[in-house]
Amino acid sequence: MSHRHWVRSVRQFWHQQTSTLAAAIAFYTCLPVPISWTLAFRGIARLAPLVGVAIGGILGLLDAGLHLLGMPILTRSALAIVAWVAVTGGLHLDGAMDTADGLAVPDPQRRLEVMSDSVTGAFGAMAAIAIVLLKTVALRDIDSYRWLALMAAAGWGRWGQLVAIICYPYLKPTGKGAIHKESNPSASDLIPGFVLLLGLSGFLVIVDERSWLMAAGMVFGGSAIAVLTGAWFNHKLGGHTGDTYGAVVEWTEALLLCLLTGL
């Protein structure tokens, strides 16, 4: 391979990766993306854990800034959770609400129909309240390395979404989640995100050896909750939709933060 051809191949690969990353940011967040950027939405699900870690980092910076201003921990925890919803545009929380409404229907045949309804029912509202409340209270009870806890929760939540995309059938012919299934992700796509999240725990152990239990909880607890949450929704519905992908993200985040309070 000539030097010129090698350089061109590297440039093409880099352009493809940056286009996919830009599309992932545009899809999963409300962060501004310059209109001049090329967006390649195929395969964005494999970058979801990276986007999650970045979101957690942004929230961690916000929390640290509020701490420097002397804001009480409960207030800044609540503001961090509100910012969490704002940064994602409520994308995943909306899915968790629709999923709750669907699962509340006794007739399994009507669940997808109810989930497709844009009107939020009582069970959807209760699910949203429960998720936001659990996240706020759990974050309040995490005194140290809060930024790492936020990064881990957001990262593992989206890694769990990727597990659901890969392992289970998609139940609708269209919808926001269909684009993920159409890209035919494979089990190997789980590895980069897992390594990234494993690195967060390793970093915590290097910084503070006494926090090894929290680091272990981030890895083992995060991966277990992410996998089991997706499996539970599959058991209830016989597959997944874009709404359940969002529910996996939200419930994994909330439950992992709750787990970390005890570690």
Side-chain angles (χ1 to χ4, degrees), residues 123-211:
F123 287 91
M126 287 187 287
I129 293 171
I131 289 170
V132 172
L133 184 60
L134 285 173
K135 286 184 177 181
T136 303
V137 174
L139 187 58
R140 158 63 181 84
D141 289 337
I142 299 175
D143 297 324
S144 58
Y145 302 109
R146 290 161 57 87
W147 56 279
L148 266 179
L150 288 165
M151 294 172 73
W156 282 115
R158 285 152 185 80
W159 187 82
Q161 172 189 270
L162 183 55
V163 172
I165 293 170
I166 293 171
C167 295
Y168 306 116
Y170 191 75
L171 299 177
K172 296 169 64 178
T174 58
K176 286 186 175 181
I179 188 175
H180 302 315
K181 202 65 178 179
E182 291 171 358
S183 63
N184 296 319
S186 63
S188 62
D189 291 326
L190 294 170
I191 298 175
F194 185 86
V195 172
L196 173 63
L197 294 164
L198 181 64
L200 286 180
S201 294
F203 175 79
L204 177 56
V205 173
I206 293 173
V207 172
D208 185 359
E209 293 181 356
R210 296 170 298 177
S211 298

Side-chain angles (χ1 to χ4, degrees), residues 5-259:
H5 182 72
W6 182 84
V7 171
R8 185 166 58 250
S9 298
V10 171
R11 286 179 177 174
Q12 290 176 348
F13 175 79
W14 177 251
H15 178 72
Q16 179 183 2
Q17 297 305 310
T18 53
S19 298
T20 304
L21 178 59
I25 295 172
F27 186 89
Y28 289 116
T29 76
C30 289
L31 298 176
V33 176
I35 59 175
S36 60
W37 289 13
T38 302
L39 304 182
F41 287 94
R42 184 178 178 83
I44 60 173
R46 60 186 173 83
L47 295 179
L50 174 61
V51 174
V53 170
I55 291 173
I58 293 171
L59 298 174
L61 288 174
L62 172 64
D63 181 70
L66 295 175
H67 176 60
L68 291 175
L69 293 175
M71 185 170 290
I73 189 170
L74 178 58
T75 304
R76 71 176 196 262
S77 296
L79 287 174
I81 301 306
V82 171
W84 204 336
V85 177
V87 168
T88 60
L91 174 67
H92 307 301
L93 187 60
D94 179 68
M97 294 167 68
D98 289 338
T99 300
D101 282 333
L103 291 177
V105 178
D107 183 4
Q109 303 300 323
R110 292 192 60 245
R111 287 175 177 171
L112 291 183
E113 177 185 346
V114 172
M115 290 166 62
S116 300
D117 192 340
S118 59
V119 178
T120 301
F123 287 91
M126 287 187 287
I129 293 171
I131 289 170
V132 172
L133 184 60
L134 285 173
K135 286 184 177 181
T136 303
V137 174
L139 187 58
R140 158 63 181 84
D141 289 337
I142 299 175
D143 297 324
S144 58
Y145 302 109
R146 290 161 57 87
W147 56 279
L148 266 179
L150 288 165
M151 294 172 73
W156 282 115
R158 285 152 185 80
W159 187 82
Q161 172 189 270
L162 183 55
V163 172
I165 293 170
I166 293 171
C167 295
Y168 306 116
Y170 191 75
L171 299 177
K172 296 169 64 178
T174 58
K176 286 186 175 181
I179 188 175
H180 302 315
K181 202 65 178 179
E182 291 171 358
S183 63
N184 296 319
S186 63
S188 62
D189 291 326
L190 294 170
I191 298 175
F194 185 86
V195 172
L196 173 63
L197 294 164
L198 181 64
L200 286 180
S201 294
F203 175 79
L204 177 56
V205 173
I206 293 173
V207 172
D208 185 359
E209 293 181 356
R210 296 170 298 177
S211 298
W212 67 269
L213 188 58
M214 181 179 178
M218 286 164 55
V219 173
F220 296 106
S223 58
I225 293 171
V227 171
L228 292 175
T229 303
W232 189 82
F233 286 121
N234 176 71
H235 171 71
K236 287 294 184 179
L237 295 169
H240 276 264
T241 69
D243 288 329
T244 60
Y245 292 157
V248 169
V249 172
E250 288 292 339
W251 283 110
T252 299
E253 291 173 344
L255 294 175
L256 180 54
L257 286 176
C258 289
L259 174 64

